[in-house]
Amino acid sequence: MVAGYSEIAKDMQALKAHPNIDDYESQRENWNWDSIWAELDTPNGLINQAHECIDRHALGERAEKLAMIWQSASGEIENYTYADMKRETDKVANAFRSAGIEKADRVFFLSDRIPELYFGVFGALKLGAIAAPLFSAFGPEPIKERVQRAEGKVIVTTPKLLAKVNAVRDELPSLETVIVIDHREGTEVDDRDVAWSAIVPNASEEFTIEQTGAEDWSIMHFTSGTTGLPKGAAHVHNTVVSHYATGKYVLDFHDDDIYWCTADPGWVTGTSYGMFAPWSNGITQVIDEGGYSARRWYETITKHQVTVWYTAPTAIRLLMKAGTDVARSHDLSSLRYVMSVGEPLNPEGVVWGLEAFDLAIHDNWWQTETGAIMIANYPVMPIRPGSMGRPFPGIHAAIIDDEGNELTTPMIEGQLAVKPGWPSMFRTYWNDQERYDSRFKNGWYLTGDKAKRDEDGYFWFVGRDDDVINTAGHLVSPFEVESALIEHEAVAEAGVIGKPDDVAMEIVKAFVTLNDGFANTRELLRSLNNHCRTRLGPAVAPREIDVIDILPKTRSGKIMRRLLKARELGLPEGDTSTLEED
Ligand code: PRX
C-alpha cells in the first residue's frame, strides 16, 4: 500500500457534499451516453455549445443566477448572470455577423482573460463559426503558424496585443478582418480594423442560434507534435456532452458551487473546463484576469468563497514552495474539492493538499485531442498518490503494445490508448487528415503517452512517447523552437529538448551550432534570447541556450534530441549505432 493511502481514503469525508458519482463500478457498468444527452436541451437533435452553456439556463430557472464573477488584474469585480451572458453573447453574435463572419469560418481570439473573450467565443459558437483561442503570451511566429494552418478569417484581439498580429498580417492571406476590443483601453482603432465598440454595443440583443448538429465544428485548439508545426485539433458541438458529464461526475459540480479554473482559454483546459463544463452544468465560476501569486490566489479563494478548484501541478509546486504557512494564514475553508491536470502530480503534491487545505488533490488526465477528462480520481474512490486514477465511466482506456494489442498484465509499460467513440473526441487535425489518421491503430486512439495500469485498473503515467516538451503544463514543439532559432543569422543548426525542472516539470533548452564568422559571446547569446522571445513569446522561447560545436545527428541527418538530452542529464547515451557524428 502506498504511503498516505489510508489517510487519503478519508478524504471523502471532507467533500462536504454528497458526490454525484455514487458508485464508480456500477456507474461504469451501466454507463449510457444517450442518457447524458437526454439531460441536455437538444431540440430536434440539434446541439450547440452556446445554447447548452448559456441560453438554456438564461431561458430557464437560472436566468438570474451568477454565471461569471470576473476579477480584473487590478482587482475590480464584474458580475454577469446567465441572462447577462445571453444578452452579451447575442449582441456579439449579431455584431460578428455584421462583420461578415459565417458558419465554419475560423475566428481566432488573442486576448487576456477579459469578459469579452468569453462573450466572443460564445458569440462565434452561436453563429456556427469555429472559435480558435490563442495564448496571449504567444509571439508573432506561433500566431502566424496557427492562423495560417487553419486559414483564419478573423482575429479578435486587444489594443495591447495588436502589434503581434500586425507583425505577421502580411503573411496571412486568409485574414480578412481584425476586430479590436477597444473600449476597456479607450484606444483609437485604425481604419483598416473593426472596433468592438463600433459593432457590439448597438447590436440587437436577440439572436437565433445557427442550427448546428452534433457533428458541426465548434472549437479548435492547437497542439504540438515532435515533427512539423502545431496541429489544429478540431472539435464538434457534441463535445459539450463530455464536458457536461465530466463536470458533473469528475469535478462534482453541485448547483451552489463556486468554481475556479486557473487555466487560460489559450489552452484547452481553459475552454473545456474554464467555459463549457461549468456553464453546461449551470454553475457560477470565477474568472481571474491576473497571473499567479500565492497570496493573490488564496485571497481569490477566500474572497469569492471558491468551493471547487481546478489547477495544475506547476502551480501546486509553486504554492508548496511558498509554504504551507501561507496557505494556513488564509481562511480556505470554503474549498471542498481540489483537482489538478496537465502534468504528472507528484505524490508529495497530493499529500500536501491535506496539509494545506485538509483536502487531497485529485489528479486527472486528458489531452487537447480527447477534448475532455478521460482518466480521473473520483470523490468516491481512494486516491493512490502518483496515479492518474481510473477511466471515466463510458471511456475504455488501455495499455497497448506497438502493434495495437491490449496488454492486460498489470504494471506493464506500453502506450496509453483510448477506444474511439466518446463525444469529445477530436474529429480532425485541420488541413492534415493524414496526421489525424496516423493517431489511430487497430481500433485504438493512440495518445502518444506511455503508461502502466495496475491490477485494480488505476493508470500510472510514465512519460511521453515523443519529444514534445511539457513546460508548466503547456506542450511545446521542439521543431517550432528550432525553426525560429535557425532564422537567426548566427545559427547553423538547432536542437531543442525539455530539461527537467523542479517547478515547471520541464523547461525548453536549446543547443545551437554557429555559422562561420560568429563567435560564442555573451552578446550573441543575448541576441539569440531576444530573437526567440520576440518571435516566439515567453511561453515558448527557450529558457537556456547552449552553443556547441556539433549536433548529434543520425546518418539520415535527423538531429538526435534524445542524445542531447542524455548528455545534458549525464545519462547513458543508449543505442548510438545510427549516429553520424565522429
Ligand atoms: O503528456 C500528457 C500530459 O499533457 C498531455 C496533454 O497536453 P494537452 O494536449 O496540452 O492537454 C492539456 C489538457 C490536460 C498529455 O498527453 N498530461 C496531462 N495530464 C496529465 C499529463 N501527464 C501526467 N499526468 C496528468 N494528469
Side-chain angles (χ1 to χ4, degrees), residues 268-269 341-344 363-368 449 461 464 475:
V268 71
T269 310
V341 76
E343 322 148 47
D363 188 19
N364 49 63
W365 178 97
W366 58 290
Q367 301 182 306
T368 304
D449 281 351
F461 184 77
R464 286 194 61 97
L475 300 190

Side-chain angles (χ1 to χ4, degrees), residues 296-318:
R296 182 184 178 96
W297 278 25
Y298 291 141
E299 280 162 14
T300 300
I301 292 169
T302 305
K303 177 166 189 173
H304 303 293
Q305 293 289 290
V306 171
T307 57
V308 177
W309 190 30
Y310 197 20
T311 188
T314 292
I316 291 163
R317 286 190 290 268
L318 285 169

Side-chain angles (χ1 to χ4, degrees), residues 222-381:
F222 289 80
T223 185
S224 300
T226 310
T227 55
L229 291 169
K231 306 151 287 177
H235 291 276
V236 293
H237 282 275
N238 204 32
T239 300
V240 75
V241 176
S242 293
H243 294 151
Y244 170 77
T246 51
K248 180 170 175 181
Y249 294 115
V250 182
L251 283 75
D252 194 47
F253 288 143
H254 287 60
D255 214 27
D256 55 354
D257 273 323
I258 308 285
Y259 165 70
W260 182 28
C261 167
T262 58
D264 187 273
W267 309 97
V268 71
T269 310
T271 60
S272 291
Y273 294 97
M275 295 183 184
F276 306 125
W279 286 332
S280 60
N281 278 276
I283 67 153
T284 303
Q285 72 163 328
V286 174
I287 288 163
D288 182 23
E289 184 191 20
Y292 167 84
S293 107
R295 286 198 183 278
R296 182 184 178 96
W297 278 25
Y298 291 141
E299 280 162 14
T300 300
I301 292 169
T302 305
K303 177 166 189 173
H304 303 293
Q305 293 289 290
V306 171
T307 57
V308 177
W309 190 30
Y310 197 20
T311 188
T314 292
I316 291 163
R317 286 190 290 268
L318 285 169
L319 293 171
M320 285 170 77
K321 265 189 136 174
T324 310
D325 291 353
V326 184
R328 287 285 175 194
S329 68
H330 292 81
D331 178 6
L332 305 175
S333 57
S334 61
L335 281 178
R336 66 169 190 87
Y337 199 45
V338 185
M339 287 150 298
S340 153
V341 76
E343 322 148 47
L345 177 65
N346 342 33
E348 299 76 27
V350 177
V351 177
W352 180 75
L354 287 169
E355 276 172 39
F357 320 122
D358 297 323
L359 295 168
I361 299 172
H362 290 66
D363 188 19
N364 49 63
W365 178 97
W366 58 290
Q367 301 182 306
T368 304
E369 288 87 343
T370 69
I373 294 167
M374 296 284 106
I375 296 177
N377 287 287
Y378 305 86
V380 288
M381 233 167 55

